[in-house]
Amino acid sequence: MKKLMFSLLLLTGSLFFVNAQNTLSKDTKNKTVISTRPLSLVLLQPNLKVEQAFGTNFTGGAELTLFTKVNKGFRVDPFLRFYTNKSGAAPEGFYFQGKFSYGNHKELINEDIITTGVNKPTESFNAIGGGFGIGSQWFAGANNNFSIDFYGGVRRYAPIDPDNKIESAAFKVVRGWPAELRFGLGYAF
């Protein structure tokens, strides 16, 4: 699991250095966006998204979400976006997004108490998934460095071979919603 996480972070981090010629070209517009979803902060599920342009219409990045209440743990969502701008102004404008999701969560329901009456330590489990969607991101402010991002899409996110069937069902209700609607605010540079 540590190797998988390291590989995902290495891949995402390497996107910042891919195609460096494009980021240093005559186009001096914003190429990197760091943002968060304000609603996630209110719900005590902080997250951070980093997006980097690599080319005129493509960006890549990752989003890290920490879950502090139900199914405590984290989820990492590396993603790629294709911006439809003819001007080649990625990461700004209308886009299509594809993503992969990996997370590690603690069990919410201890099935052994229900079936045997024996309490065991809380175990953690892995979940994977992916999704696709559409969105629009634009910049505002005096220096055009305040980013606003709206995204909507579908996804699948479920436990990998869960031992605990009750936990799996509860997880799908809490974390496995098939539709996503997101609003993000951030800083672009």
Side-chain angles (χ1 to χ4, degrees), residues 26-88:
K26 64 183 184 296
D27 182 26
T28 59
K29 294 182 182 179
N30 300 324
K31 295 294 182 186
T32 303
V33 179
I34 298 175
S35 64
T36 189
R37 296 185 320 263
L39 185 58
S40 70
L41 298 174
V42 172
L43 298 174
L44 301 177
Q45 296 179 4
N47 79 322
L48 183 67
K49 181 191 80 168
V50 178
E51 178 181 5
Q52 172 68 39
F54 60 97
T56 56
N57 292 88
F58 288 95
T59 65
E63 184 170 2
L64 173 66
T65 304
L66 300 175
F67 300 104
T68 60
K69 293 195 177 230
V70 179
N71 294 118
K72 291 180 182 180
F74 70 91
R75 184 178 69 216
V76 177
D77 298 301
F79 62 85
L80 291 173
R81 288 181 174 176
F82 171 72
Y83 285 83
T84 60
N85 304 343
K86 293 189 192 291
S87 64

Side-chain angles (χ1 to χ4, degrees), residues 4-187:
L4 175 64
M5 287 301 303
F6 179 75
S7 298
L8 287 174
L9 291 174
L10 184 63
L11 173 68
T12 303
S14 67
L15 291 174
F16 292 108
F17 302 105
V18 171
N19 215 351
Q21 293 81 9
N22 285 337
T23 57
L24 297 176
S25 69
K26 64 183 184 296
D27 182 26
T28 59
K29 294 182 182 179
N30 300 324
K31 295 294 182 186
T32 303
V33 179
I34 298 175
S35 64
T36 189
R37 296 185 320 263
L39 185 58
S40 70
L41 298 174
V42 172
L43 298 174
L44 301 177
Q45 296 179 4
N47 79 322
L48 183 67
K49 181 191 80 168
V50 178
E51 178 181 5
Q52 172 68 39
F54 60 97
T56 56
N57 292 88
F58 288 95
T59 65
E63 184 170 2
L64 173 66
T65 304
L66 300 175
F67 300 104
T68 60
K69 293 195 177 230
V70 179
N71 294 118
K72 291 180 182 180
F74 70 91
R75 184 178 69 216
V76 177
D77 298 301
F79 62 85
L80 291 173
R81 288 181 174 176
F82 171 72
Y83 285 83
T84 60
N85 304 343
K86 293 189 192 291
S87 64
E92 186 174 19
F94 183 79
Y95 62 83
F96 295 96
Q97 175 178 300
K99 71 176 182 175
F100 170 77
S101 299
Y102 169 79
N104 183 277
H105 303 273
K106 290 190 188 246
E107 285 185 345
L108 177 65
I109 301 168
N110 190 336
E111 190 175 46
D112 285 352
I113 292 175
I114 296 168
T115 58
T116 65
V118 176
N119 191 3
K120 68 174 185 172
T122 303
E123 294 182 2
S124 62
F125 60 93
N126 296 320
I128 62 168
F132 60 92
I134 59 172
S136 183
Q137 179 168 250
W138 65 94
F139 302 128
N143 296 322
N144 275 342
N145 59 358
F146 180 72
S147 84
I148 303 167
D149 187 8
F150 285 103
Y151 170 82
V154 295
R155 69 172 178 158
R156 177 153 181 3
Y157 185 62
I160 304 170
D161 297 326
D163 294 332
N164 187 334
K165 300 298 181 194
I166 297 170
E167 179 67 29
S168 178
F171 182 82
K172 288 177 184 174
V173 169
V174 175
R175 300 273 176 239
W177 288 90
E180 284 186 293
L181 291 173
R182 296 181 177 209
F183 165 68
L185 298 174
Y187 181 76

